[in-house]
Amino acid sequence: MIKTDAVIVGAGPTGLFCAHQLGIIGLKCEIVDNLDKIGGQCIELYPDKPIYDIPAVPECTGEELTNNLIEQIKSFKFNFHLNDRVQELKNENDKWIVKTSNGKEFETPNVIIAGGVGSFEPRKFPTKSAEKYDGKSVLYSIRDKSIFKDKSVVIFGGGDSALDWAIELSKTSKITLVHRRDEFRGAPASVQKVKELSESKVINLMTRYSIKDVKGNGSLESVEVKSETGESKVINADYVLGFFGLIMQLGPIAEWGLNLDKKTIPVNTENFETNKKGIFAIGDICTYPGKLKLILSGFHEGALAARGCFKYARPNEKYRFEFTTSSSTIKDRLGVKEND
Amino acid sequence: MAKIKYIEFNGKEHEADVANGLSVMEGAIQNDIPGIDGDCGGGMSCATCHVYINDDEWYKKLPEKEMGEDDMLDQAYEPKSNSRLSCQLIVSDDLDGLKVHMPEKQA
Protein backbone atom coordinates (compact mmCIF):
# COMPACT_ATOMS: atom_id res chain seq x y z
CA MET A 1 0.00 0.00 0.00
CA ILE A 2 1.46 3.33 -1.10
CA LYS A 3 0.37 6.31 1.02
CA THR A 4 0.30 9.64 -0.74
CA ASP A 5 -1.41 13.03 -0.71
CA ALA A 6 -3.05 12.61 -4.12
CA VAL A 7 -3.41 10.06 -6.92
CA ILE A 8 -3.67 11.55 -10.38
CA VAL A 9 -5.52 9.43 -12.95
CA GLY A 10 -4.10 10.35 -16.36
CA ALA A 11 -0.66 11.57 -17.39
CA GLY A 12 -1.75 14.01 -20.09
CA PRO A 13 -0.84 17.70 -19.98
CA THR A 14 -3.55 18.51 -17.43
CA GLY A 15 -2.48 15.74 -15.04
CA LEU A 16 1.19 16.69 -15.42
CA PHE A 17 0.65 20.36 -14.66
CA CYS A 18 -1.61 19.52 -11.73
CA ALA A 19 1.28 17.42 -10.36
CA HIS A 20 3.45 20.51 -10.67
CA GLN A 21 0.95 22.56 -8.70
CA LEU A 22 0.75 19.88 -5.99
CA GLY A 23 4.55 19.84 -5.81
CA ILE A 24 4.72 23.61 -5.51
CA ILE A 25 2.44 23.61 -2.46
CA GLY A 26 4.37 20.76 -0.85
CA LEU A 27 2.12 17.79 -1.57
CA LYS A 28 3.15 14.40 -2.93
CA CYS A 29 1.35 12.51 -5.67
CA GLU A 30 1.40 9.30 -7.69
CA ILE A 31 0.39 9.35 -11.34
CA VAL A 32 -1.32 6.41 -13.08
CA ASP A 33 -1.88 6.07 -16.83
CA ASN A 34 -3.17 3.29 -19.01
CA LEU A 35 -0.79 4.13 -21.88
CA ASP A 36 2.80 2.93 -21.90
CA LYS A 37 4.10 6.49 -22.11
CA ILE A 38 3.57 9.90 -20.54
CA GLY A 39 1.58 12.56 -22.43
CA GLY A 40 -1.99 11.35 -22.96
CA GLN A 41 -3.73 12.45 -26.16
CA CYS A 42 -0.82 14.81 -26.93
CA ILE A 43 1.51 11.87 -27.36
CA GLU A 44 -0.94 9.23 -28.58
CA LEU A 45 -3.02 11.24 -31.07
CA TYR A 46 -0.91 14.15 -32.21
CA PRO A 47 2.78 13.98 -31.14
CA ASP A 48 3.88 15.77 -34.34
CA LYS A 49 0.99 18.19 -34.82
CA PRO A 50 1.72 21.77 -33.84
CA ILE A 51 -0.36 23.37 -31.08
CA TYR A 52 -0.80 27.16 -31.30
CA ASP A 53 -2.78 28.05 -28.20
CA ILE A 54 -0.53 27.40 -25.23
CA PRO A 55 -0.06 30.79 -23.53
CA ALA A 56 3.39 32.26 -24.20
CA VAL A 57 4.33 29.33 -26.46
CA PRO A 58 3.57 30.45 -30.03
CA GLU A 59 3.99 26.95 -31.44
CA CYS A 60 4.92 23.54 -30.10
CA THR A 61 4.12 19.91 -30.88
CA GLY A 62 2.32 17.52 -28.56
CA GLU A 63 5.62 15.80 -27.91
CA GLU A 64 7.47 19.04 -27.09
CA LEU A 65 4.71 20.14 -24.75
CA THR A 66 4.84 16.78 -22.97
CA ASN A 67 8.64 16.86 -22.65
CA ASN A 68 8.54 20.36 -21.20
CA LEU A 69 5.87 19.43 -18.68
CA ILE A 70 7.92 16.40 -17.61
CA GLU A 71 10.98 18.63 -17.24
CA GLN A 72 8.96 21.09 -15.15
CA ILE A 73 8.09 18.46 -12.52
CA LYS A 74 11.38 16.55 -12.55
CA SER A 75 12.59 17.92 -9.22
CA PHE A 76 9.55 16.55 -7.39
CA LYS A 77 10.49 12.96 -8.33
CA PHE A 78 6.87 11.82 -8.50
CA ASN A 79 6.23 8.19 -9.44
CA PHE A 80 4.54 7.27 -12.69
CA HIS A 81 2.61 4.01 -12.95
CA LEU A 82 2.28 3.45 -16.70
CA ASN A 83 0.51 0.61 -18.50
CA ASP A 84 -1.78 0.49 -15.52
CA ARG A 85 -5.34 1.55 -15.00
CA VAL A 86 -7.18 2.67 -11.88
CA GLN A 87 -9.83 0.04 -11.48
CA GLU A 88 -11.48 0.55 -8.14
CA LEU A 89 -12.08 3.38 -5.68
CA LYS A 90 -13.27 2.66 -2.16
CA ASN A 91 -13.77 5.00 0.76
CA GLU A 92 -12.34 3.83 4.09
CA ASN A 93 -12.24 6.15 7.12
CA ASP A 94 -12.29 9.30 5.02
CA LYS A 95 -9.45 8.06 2.83
CA TRP A 96 -9.69 6.70 -0.67
CA ILE A 97 -8.28 3.25 -1.35
CA VAL A 98 -7.29 3.15 -5.01
CA LYS A 99 -6.67 -0.18 -6.73
CA THR A 100 -5.15 -0.59 -10.18
CA SER A 101 -5.51 -3.37 -12.74
CA ASN A 102 -1.91 -4.43 -12.05
CA GLY A 103 -2.76 -4.88 -8.38
CA LYS A 104 -1.18 -1.72 -6.96
CA GLU A 105 -2.90 -0.06 -4.01
CA PHE A 106 -2.79 3.52 -2.84
CA GLU A 107 -4.21 5.21 0.24
CA THR A 108 -4.92 8.88 -0.30
CA PRO A 109 -7.29 11.65 0.79
CA ASN A 110 -7.42 12.97 -2.80
CA VAL A 111 -8.00 11.49 -6.23
CA ILE A 112 -7.69 13.76 -9.23
CA ILE A 113 -9.26 12.43 -12.41
CA ALA A 114 -7.46 13.94 -15.39
CA GLY A 115 -8.55 11.19 -17.73
CA GLY A 116 -9.28 13.12 -20.94
CA VAL A 117 -12.08 11.32 -22.73
CA GLY A 118 -11.25 8.10 -20.94
CA SER A 119 -8.56 5.50 -21.33
CA PHE A 120 -7.24 4.33 -24.66
CA GLU A 121 -8.28 0.79 -25.49
CA PRO A 122 -7.86 -1.13 -28.73
CA ARG A 123 -11.00 -1.12 -30.86
CA LYS A 124 -12.34 -4.65 -31.03
CA PHE A 125 -14.17 -6.72 -33.63
CA PRO A 126 -17.90 -5.97 -33.73
CA THR A 127 -18.74 -9.68 -33.95
CA LYS A 128 -20.00 -11.23 -30.73
CA SER A 129 -18.47 -14.60 -31.57
CA ALA A 130 -14.97 -13.06 -31.40
CA GLU A 131 -15.33 -12.34 -27.66
CA LYS A 132 -15.05 -16.02 -26.79
CA TYR A 133 -11.51 -16.14 -28.19
CA ASP A 134 -10.47 -12.68 -26.98
CA GLY A 135 -6.94 -12.79 -25.58
CA LYS A 136 -6.38 -16.38 -26.73
CA SER A 137 -6.63 -16.58 -30.52
CA VAL A 138 -8.32 -13.23 -31.24
CA LEU A 139 -5.74 -10.57 -30.41
CA TYR A 140 -5.44 -6.81 -30.65
CA SER A 141 -1.76 -6.51 -29.80
CA ILE A 142 1.24 -8.80 -30.00
CA ARG A 143 3.42 -9.66 -27.03
CA ASP A 144 5.21 -12.74 -28.32
CA LYS A 145 5.41 -13.19 -32.06
CA SER A 146 6.83 -16.71 -31.79
CA ILE A 147 3.35 -18.12 -31.10
CA PHE A 148 2.43 -17.48 -34.75
CA LYS A 149 5.22 -19.60 -36.22
CA ASP A 150 3.88 -21.95 -38.93
CA LYS A 151 0.30 -20.92 -38.14
CA SER A 152 -2.45 -19.40 -40.29
CA VAL A 153 -2.99 -15.82 -39.22
CA VAL A 154 -5.69 -13.48 -40.51
CA ILE A 155 -4.92 -9.80 -39.95
CA PHE A 156 -7.56 -7.07 -40.20
CA GLY A 157 -6.79 -3.36 -40.67
CA GLY A 158 -5.22 -0.87 -43.06
CA GLY A 159 -2.83 1.14 -40.92
CA ASP A 160 0.82 0.74 -40.03
CA SER A 161 0.26 -1.88 -37.32
CA ALA A 162 -1.66 -4.15 -39.68
CA LEU A 163 0.83 -3.68 -42.54
CA ASP A 164 3.97 -4.01 -40.42
CA TRP A 165 2.79 -7.18 -38.71
CA ALA A 166 1.60 -8.67 -42.00
CA ILE A 167 5.09 -8.14 -43.45
CA GLU A 168 6.92 -9.35 -40.35
CA LEU A 169 4.79 -12.42 -39.67
CA SER A 170 4.72 -13.45 -43.35
CA LYS A 171 8.31 -14.66 -42.87
CA THR A 172 7.16 -17.52 -40.65
CA SER A 173 3.36 -17.71 -40.90
CA LYS A 174 0.65 -18.01 -43.52
CA ILE A 175 -0.83 -14.52 -43.64
CA THR A 176 -4.13 -13.19 -44.94
CA LEU A 177 -4.53 -9.42 -44.73
CA VAL A 178 -8.11 -8.15 -44.85
CA HIS A 179 -9.05 -4.49 -45.25
CA ARG A 180 -12.37 -2.77 -45.92
CA ARG A 181 -11.15 -0.68 -48.89
CA ASP A 182 -8.39 -0.70 -51.54
CA GLU A 183 -6.42 2.21 -50.06
CA PHE A 184 -4.21 1.79 -47.02
CA ARG A 185 -3.34 4.52 -44.57
CA GLY A 186 0.06 3.08 -43.59
CA ALA A 187 3.47 4.31 -44.70
CA PRO A 188 3.82 4.18 -48.53
CA ALA A 189 6.86 1.88 -48.31
CA SER A 190 4.92 -0.66 -46.25
CA VAL A 191 1.94 -0.49 -48.61
CA GLN A 192 4.32 -1.14 -51.52
CA LYS A 193 5.93 -4.08 -49.71
CA VAL A 194 2.56 -5.66 -48.91
CA LYS A 195 1.50 -5.34 -52.55
CA GLU A 196 4.72 -7.03 -53.66
CA LEU A 197 4.24 -9.84 -51.16
CA SER A 198 0.69 -10.21 -52.40
CA GLU A 199 1.83 -10.47 -56.02
CA SER A 200 4.40 -13.09 -55.11
CA LYS A 201 1.64 -14.95 -53.23
CA VAL A 202 3.41 -14.70 -49.88
CA ILE A 203 0.52 -12.70 -48.42
CA ASN A 204 -3.10 -13.36 -49.31
CA LEU A 205 -4.47 -9.84 -49.67
CA MET A 206 -8.23 -9.35 -49.48
CA THR A 207 -9.59 -5.84 -49.81
CA ARG A 208 -13.21 -4.68 -49.59
CA TYR A 209 -13.95 -7.31 -47.00
CA SER A 210 -14.76 -7.07 -43.32
CA ILE A 211 -15.23 -9.64 -40.57
CA LYS A 212 -18.53 -11.50 -40.37
CA ASP A 213 -17.95 -14.32 -37.94
CA VAL A 214 -15.29 -16.41 -36.26
CA LYS A 215 -15.81 -20.12 -35.97
CA GLY A 216 -14.32 -22.92 -33.99
CA ASN A 217 -15.00 -25.84 -31.78
CA GLY A 218 -13.21 -25.04 -28.54
CA SER A 219 -10.28 -23.57 -30.43
CA LEU A 220 -10.49 -21.14 -33.32
CA GLU A 221 -10.72 -22.80 -36.75
CA SER A 222 -11.77 -20.20 -39.28
CA VAL A 223 -12.94 -16.68 -39.88
CA GLU A 224 -15.72 -15.68 -42.21
CA VAL A 225 -15.43 -12.39 -44.08
CA LYS A 226 -18.08 -10.52 -46.03
CA SER A 227 -18.06 -7.97 -48.80
CA GLU A 228 -20.51 -5.10 -48.84
CA THR A 229 -22.48 -6.78 -51.58
CA GLY A 230 -23.10 -9.71 -49.26
CA GLU A 231 -20.65 -12.21 -50.69
CA SER A 232 -18.85 -14.14 -47.97
CA LYS A 233 -15.75 -16.30 -47.77
CA VAL A 234 -14.29 -18.58 -45.13
CA ILE A 235 -10.56 -18.51 -44.33
CA ASN A 236 -8.83 -21.07 -42.15
CA ALA A 237 -7.26 -19.38 -39.16
CA ASP A 238 -5.36 -20.28 -36.03
CA TYR A 239 -5.16 -16.64 -34.99
CA VAL A 240 -7.11 -13.49 -35.88
CA LEU A 241 -5.50 -10.12 -35.31
CA GLY A 242 -7.39 -6.80 -35.36
CA PHE A 243 -5.63 -3.45 -35.73
CA PHE A 244 -8.32 -0.78 -35.84
CA GLY A 245 -6.58 1.86 -33.74
CA LEU A 246 -7.47 2.94 -30.25
CA ILE A 247 -10.74 4.18 -28.91
CA MET A 248 -11.26 6.19 -25.77
CA GLN A 249 -13.50 4.65 -23.17
CA LEU A 250 -14.57 5.99 -19.82
CA GLY A 251 -14.05 2.48 -18.45
CA PRO A 252 -14.13 1.91 -14.69
CA ILE A 253 -14.55 5.66 -13.96
CA ALA A 254 -18.25 5.17 -14.71
CA GLU A 255 -18.52 2.77 -11.76
CA TRP A 256 -17.28 5.07 -9.02
CA GLY A 257 -20.61 6.65 -8.10
CA LEU A 258 -19.76 10.01 -9.61
CA ASN A 259 -22.40 12.17 -11.22
CA LEU A 260 -21.98 11.88 -14.98
CA ASP A 261 -23.19 14.05 -17.81
CA LYS A 262 -22.81 11.94 -20.96
CA LYS A 263 -19.12 11.03 -20.77
CA THR A 264 -18.06 13.97 -18.56
CA ILE A 265 -18.03 14.60 -14.83
CA PRO A 266 -19.74 17.74 -13.46
CA VAL A 267 -17.57 19.71 -11.02
CA ASN A 268 -17.75 22.99 -9.10
CA THR A 269 -15.54 25.75 -10.45
CA GLU A 270 -14.06 26.71 -7.08
CA ASN A 271 -11.83 23.67 -6.72
CA PHE A 272 -13.09 21.20 -9.35
CA GLU A 273 -14.33 18.72 -6.79
CA THR A 274 -16.98 16.24 -7.96
CA ASN A 275 -20.03 15.14 -5.98
CA LYS A 276 -17.68 12.94 -3.92
CA LYS A 277 -15.51 14.56 -1.27
CA GLY A 278 -11.84 14.33 -2.18
CA ILE A 279 -12.43 13.33 -5.81
CA PHE A 280 -11.61 16.04 -8.30
CA ALA A 281 -11.97 16.08 -12.08
CA ILE A 282 -9.96 18.34 -14.37
CA GLY A 283 -9.27 18.72 -18.08
CA ASP A 284 -11.40 17.33 -20.90
CA ILE A 285 -13.22 14.93 -18.60
CA CYS A 286 -14.82 17.60 -16.40
CA THR A 287 -17.76 19.79 -17.27
CA TYR A 288 -19.24 23.03 -15.88
CA PRO A 289 -21.04 26.01 -17.42
CA GLY A 290 -18.74 27.56 -19.99
CA LYS A 291 -16.25 24.66 -20.05
CA LEU A 292 -13.70 24.89 -22.88
CA LYS A 293 -11.82 21.74 -23.87
CA LEU A 294 -8.48 23.50 -24.12
CA ILE A 295 -5.15 22.53 -22.59
CA LEU A 296 -4.90 25.96 -20.98
CA SER A 297 -8.24 25.42 -19.23
CA GLY A 298 -6.91 22.13 -17.89
CA PHE A 299 -3.89 23.94 -16.43
CA HIS A 300 -6.13 26.40 -14.58
CA GLU A 301 -8.38 23.61 -13.34
CA GLY A 302 -5.37 21.64 -12.10
CA ALA A 303 -3.99 24.63 -10.20
CA LEU A 304 -7.27 25.11 -8.32
CA ALA A 305 -7.83 21.38 -7.74
CA ALA A 306 -4.34 21.15 -6.19
CA ARG A 307 -5.31 23.81 -3.63
CA GLY A 308 -8.54 21.91 -3.06
CA CYS A 309 -6.46 18.83 -2.17
CA PHE A 310 -4.45 20.75 0.42
CA LYS A 311 -7.18 20.94 3.06
CA TYR A 312 -7.73 17.16 2.98
CA ALA A 313 -4.03 16.29 2.88
CA ARG A 314 -2.99 18.79 5.60
CA PRO A 315 -6.14 19.30 7.68
CA ASN A 316 -4.20 20.96 10.51
CA GLU A 317 -2.28 23.43 8.36
CA LYS A 318 -3.40 26.61 6.74
CA TYR A 319 -2.70 26.96 3.04
CA ARG A 320 -0.63 30.06 2.32
CA PHE A 321 -0.57 31.54 -1.16
CA GLU A 322 2.95 32.19 -2.49
CA PHE A 323 4.54 33.22 -5.78
CA THR A 324 7.29 31.12 -7.35
CA THR A 325 9.25 34.32 -8.00
CA SER A 326 9.60 35.20 -4.33
CA SER A 327 9.03 32.14 -2.15
CA SER A 328 12.21 30.46 -0.96
CA THR A 329 10.16 27.44 0.18
CA ILE A 330 8.91 26.91 -3.35
CA LYS A 331 12.38 27.39 -4.78
CA ASP A 332 13.66 24.70 -2.39
CA ARG A 333 10.94 22.36 -3.58
CA LEU A 334 11.83 23.08 -7.20
CA GLY A 335 15.50 22.55 -6.40
CA VAL A 336 16.52 25.93 -7.86
CA LYS A 337 19.32 27.96 -6.33
CA GLU A 338 18.64 31.51 -5.18
CA ASN A 339 21.12 33.83 -6.81
CA ASP A 340 21.13 36.98 -4.81
CA MET B 1 -30.79 26.53 -42.01
CA ALA B 2 -31.50 22.93 -42.93
CA LYS B 3 -33.82 20.27 -41.60
CA ILE B 4 -31.73 17.20 -40.88
CA LYS B 5 -33.22 13.84 -40.08
CA TYR B 6 -31.18 11.64 -37.73
CA ILE B 7 -32.25 8.00 -37.68
CA GLU B 8 -31.10 5.79 -34.86
CA PHE B 9 -30.05 2.19 -35.49
CA ASN B 10 -33.38 0.98 -34.04
CA GLY B 11 -35.26 3.14 -36.56
CA LYS B 12 -36.22 5.96 -34.19
CA GLU B 13 -36.21 9.26 -36.08
CA HIS B 14 -35.24 12.70 -34.84
CA GLU B 15 -35.56 15.88 -36.84
CA ALA B 16 -33.64 19.04 -36.09
CA ASP B 17 -33.30 22.49 -37.62
CA VAL B 18 -29.57 23.03 -37.82
CA ALA B 19 -28.09 26.45 -38.46
CA ASN B 20 -25.81 26.98 -41.45
CA GLY B 21 -22.15 26.65 -40.58
CA LEU B 22 -22.63 24.03 -37.90
CA SER B 23 -21.68 20.45 -38.64
CA VAL B 24 -24.22 17.65 -38.79
CA MET B 25 -22.45 16.26 -35.69
CA GLU B 26 -22.91 19.54 -33.80
CA GLY B 27 -26.57 19.60 -34.84
CA ALA B 28 -27.04 16.24 -33.12
CA ILE B 29 -25.12 17.20 -29.95
CA GLN B 30 -26.93 20.53 -29.54
CA ASN B 31 -30.31 18.88 -29.91
CA ASP B 32 -29.47 15.99 -27.55
CA ILE B 33 -29.95 13.43 -30.26
CA PRO B 34 -28.53 10.08 -29.18
CA GLY B 35 -26.28 7.95 -31.39
CA ILE B 36 -23.57 10.48 -32.24
CA ASP B 37 -20.81 11.06 -29.67
CA GLY B 38 -18.31 13.46 -31.26
CA ASP B 39 -15.67 12.77 -28.60
CA CYS B 40 -12.90 14.84 -30.17
CA GLY B 41 -15.14 17.84 -30.76
CA GLY B 42 -14.97 17.77 -34.54
CA GLY B 43 -11.24 17.45 -35.11
CA MET B 44 -11.48 14.33 -37.28
CA SER B 45 -9.48 12.34 -34.77
CA CYS B 46 -11.91 9.91 -33.16
CA ALA B 47 -14.55 8.41 -35.53
CA THR B 48 -17.36 8.62 -32.96
CA CYS B 49 -19.66 10.77 -35.15
CA HIS B 50 -19.90 8.09 -37.83
CA VAL B 51 -23.10 8.01 -39.93
CA TYR B 52 -24.34 6.24 -43.06
CA ILE B 53 -25.87 8.12 -45.95
CA ASN B 54 -28.23 5.46 -47.24
CA ASP B 55 -29.72 7.59 -50.02
CA ASP B 56 -27.29 7.35 -52.91
CA GLU B 57 -28.44 10.67 -54.41
CA TRP B 58 -27.62 12.43 -51.16
CA TYR B 59 -24.29 10.62 -50.83
CA LYS B 60 -23.21 11.94 -54.23
CA LYS B 61 -24.48 15.43 -53.46
CA LEU B 62 -22.36 15.82 -50.32
CA PRO B 63 -18.93 17.44 -50.55
CA GLU B 64 -16.24 14.83 -51.15
CA LYS B 65 -14.22 13.41 -48.30
CA GLU B 66 -11.09 15.30 -47.44
CA MET B 67 -7.80 13.56 -46.88
CA GLY B 68 -7.89 11.73 -43.59
CA GLU B 69 -11.62 11.10 -43.33
CA ASP B 70 -11.40 7.61 -44.83
CA ASP B 71 -8.37 6.83 -42.66
CA MET B 72 -10.40 7.75 -39.61
CA LEU B 73 -13.39 5.80 -40.88
CA ASP B 74 -11.20 2.67 -41.00
CA GLN B 75 -11.32 2.90 -37.24
CA ALA B 76 -15.08 3.39 -36.98
CA TYR B 77 -17.56 0.74 -35.92
CA GLU B 78 -18.76 -1.16 -39.03
CA PRO B 79 -17.77 1.33 -41.73
CA LYS B 80 -19.31 0.91 -45.21
CA SER B 81 -18.77 2.61 -48.53
CA ASN B 82 -21.54 5.11 -47.70
CA SER B 83 -20.00 6.03 -44.33
CA ARG B 84 -19.18 9.64 -43.43
CA LEU B 85 -17.95 11.45 -40.36
CA SER B 86 -20.78 13.84 -39.51
CA CYS B 87 -18.31 16.42 -38.15
CA GLN B 88 -17.11 16.90 -41.72
CA LEU B 89 -20.58 17.65 -43.11
CA ILE B 90 -21.10 21.38 -42.78
CA VAL B 91 -24.72 22.48 -42.87
CA SER B 92 -25.98 24.90 -45.52
CA ASP B 93 -29.37 25.41 -47.15
CA ASP B 94 -28.28 22.78 -49.68
CA LEU B 95 -28.43 20.08 -47.01
CA ASP B 96 -32.11 20.70 -46.26
CA GLY B 97 -33.83 17.32 -46.04
CA LEU B 98 -30.64 15.27 -45.52
CA LYS B 99 -31.15 11.95 -43.75
CA VAL B 100 -28.33 10.33 -41.81
CA HIS B 101 -28.48 6.85 -40.33
CA MET B 102 -26.54 6.12 -37.17
CA PRO B 103 -24.56 2.90 -36.69
CA GLU B 104 -25.45 0.44 -33.94
CA LYS B 105 -22.85 2.11 -31.74
CA GLN B 106 -19.98 4.54 -32.06
CA ALA B 107 -17.21 2.84 -30.10
Side-chain angles (χ1 to χ4, degrees):
Chain A
M1 178 89 80
I2 303 170
K3 289 188 182 180
T4 185
D5 294 321
V7 169
I8 299 180
V9 185
T14 296
L16 292 174
F17 190 69
C18 183
H20 176 266
Q21 292 294 297
L22 289 165
I24 288 275
I25 62 175
L27 299 186
K28 293 275 168 231
C29 70
E30 305 279 328
I31 304 162
V32 184
D33 198 294
N34 193 32
L35 287 176
D36 59 358
K37 46 195 173 294
I38 301 171
Q41 288 182 56
C42 279
I43 220 71
E44 188 59 39
L45 292 185
Y46 47 88
D48 311 320
K49 280 194 196 167
I51 310 170
Y52 299 103
D53 57 357
I54 306 297
V57 183
E59 182 183 338
C60 71
T61 63
E63 187 175 15
E64 287 163 353
L65 184 80
T66 302
N67 289 341
N68 278 332
L69 285 162
I70 295 171
E71 177 68 28
Q72 207 167 4
I73 58 171
K74 218 168 73 185
S75 62
F76 301 125
K77 301 193 171 66
F78 292 146
N79 293 320
F80 285 90
H81 307 270
L82 300 173
N83 260 327
D84 204 354
R85 186 167 83 164
V86 173
Q87 206 67 23
E88 202 184 301
L89 274 190
K90 216 168 51 191
N91 199 291
E92 268 176 25
N93 311 322
D94 253 7
K95 292 262 202 274
W96 291 103
I97 307 298
V98 180
K99 287 185 186 165
T100 71
S101 49
N102 287 349
K104 282 185 187 151
E105 277 191 37
F106 304 93
E107 184 191 292
T108 176
N110 299 296
V111 176
I112 299 168
I113 304 171
V117 221
S119 59
F120 288 95
E121 314 272 343
R123 184 182 290 273
K124 299 191 168 186
F125 290 114
T127 28
K128 266 262 169 289
S129 50
E131 284 173 21
K132 246 193 334 205
Y133 302 101
D134 198 330
K136 296 192 280 277
S137 39
V138 173
L139 303 171
Y140 301 96
S141 63
I142 293 176
R143 293 224 164 118
D144 172 15
K145 68 175 181 183
S146 68
I147 61 171
F148 305 112
K149 191 165 183 291
D150 302 325
K151 303 281 184 187
S152 295
V153 182
V154 181
I155 300 177
F156 287 82
D160 282 317
S161 302
L163 296 171
D164 292 349
W165 280 116
I167 295 166
E168 174 63 26
L169 296 181
S170 70
K171 294 172 192 161
T172 53
S173 320
K174 188 173 179 309
I175 298 292
T176 303
L177 177 63
V178 186
H179 183 41
R180 72 171 186 103
R181 56 189 175 115
D182 294 327
E183 296 80 36
F184 289 85
R185 64 178 188 282
S190 313
V191 178
Q192 185 58 34
K193 181 80 187 162
V194 162
K195 287 189 173 154
E196 282 167 24
L197 290 170
S198 162
E199 274 158 28
S200 56
K201 307 256 189 284
V202 176
I203 287 177
N204 175 24
L205 181 61
M206 297 177 74
T207 55
R208 301 196 191 190
Y209 282 95
S210 61
I211 195 162
K212 185 178 177 192
D213 201 6
V214 295
K215 289 172 178 163
N217 195 356
S219 61
L220 179 74
E221 285 163 11
S222 65
V223 50
E224 189 174 2
V225 296
K226 58 170 194 256
S227 73
E228 237 178 86
T229 50
E231 177 209 354
S232 67
K233 279 184 185 173
V234 175
I235 314 159
N236 289 337
D238 299 306
Y239 288 96
V240 177
L241 304 174
F243 297 106
F244 304 112
L246 299 172
I247 53 169
M248 292 175 276
Q249 289 197 314
L250 206 47
I253 294 175
E255 324 275 301
W256 298 343
L258 300 168
N259 289 343
L260 291 177
D261 177 2
K262 287 185 188 149
K263 292 182 188 171
T264 55
I265 306 170
V267 289
N268 73 58
T269 48
E270 188 188 331
N271 57 18
F272 298 88
E273 200 166 13
T274 64
N275 61 310
K276 297 260 181 197
K277 189 180 155 204
I279 300 190
F280 301 81
I282 58 174
D284 284 359
I285 205 161
C286 78
T287 185
Y288 50 87
K291 165 69 186 171
L292 278 180
K293 284 192 180 184
L294 290 179
I295 291 172
L296 73 94
S297 309
F299 289 164
H300 162 81
E301 292 152 11
L304 289 183
R307 271 74 185 178
C309 292
F310 190 89
K311 62 178 176 189
Y312 300 137
R314 304 277 185 274
N316 304 320
E317 286 174 40
K318 172 135 180 49
Y319 165 70
R320 202 158 58 85
F321 177 76
E322 291 178 297
F323 286 114
T324 57
T325 43
S326 51
S327 162
S328 55
T329 323
I330 291 181
K331 284 179 186 169
D332 277 349
R333 288 175 187 148
L334 286 169
V336 291
K337 294 216 167 57
E338 301 231 40
N339 43 0
D340 53 1
Chain B
M1 175 93 80
K3 249 191 211 325
I4 311 277
K5 200 172 260 182
Y6 299 86
I7 302 152
E8 286 184 63
F9 188 74
N10 61 16
K12 198 172 166 203
E13 297 190 359
H14 307 260
E15 200 166 53
D17 289 321
V18 184
N20 290 356
L22 290 180
S23 67
V24 171
M25 178 274 283
E26 287 169 312
I29 302 292
Q30 290 187 2
N31 290 288
D32 287 323
I33 295 169
I36 290 181
D37 292 349
D39 279 348
C40 77
M44 210 156 76
S45 53
C46 77
T48 62
C49 64
H50 169 212
V51 295
Y52 304 115
I53 313 294
N54 287 356
D55 183 335
D56 198 41
E57 294 284 302
W58 266 113
Y59 186 83
K60 283 180 196 146
K61 207 172 141 183
L62 293 171
E64 280 194 16
K65 288 176 215 166
E66 269 186 54
M67 229 180 61
E69 186 174 335
D70 251 324
D71 292 347
M72 212 59 237
L73 279 168
D74 281 349
Q75 300 175 45
Y77 180 86
E78 293 264 286
K80 298 181 192 162
S81 57
N82 63 346
S83 289
R84 292 295 306 252
L85 292 180
S86 58
C87 71
Q88 300 303 303
L89 304 174
I90 305 302
V91 171
S92 67
D93 293 348
D94 292 345
L95 292 201
D96 192 46
L98 174 70
K99 277 189 216 165
V100 299
H101 284 79
M102 271 93 89
E104 187 178 356
K105 55 183 182 176
Q106 289 291 351

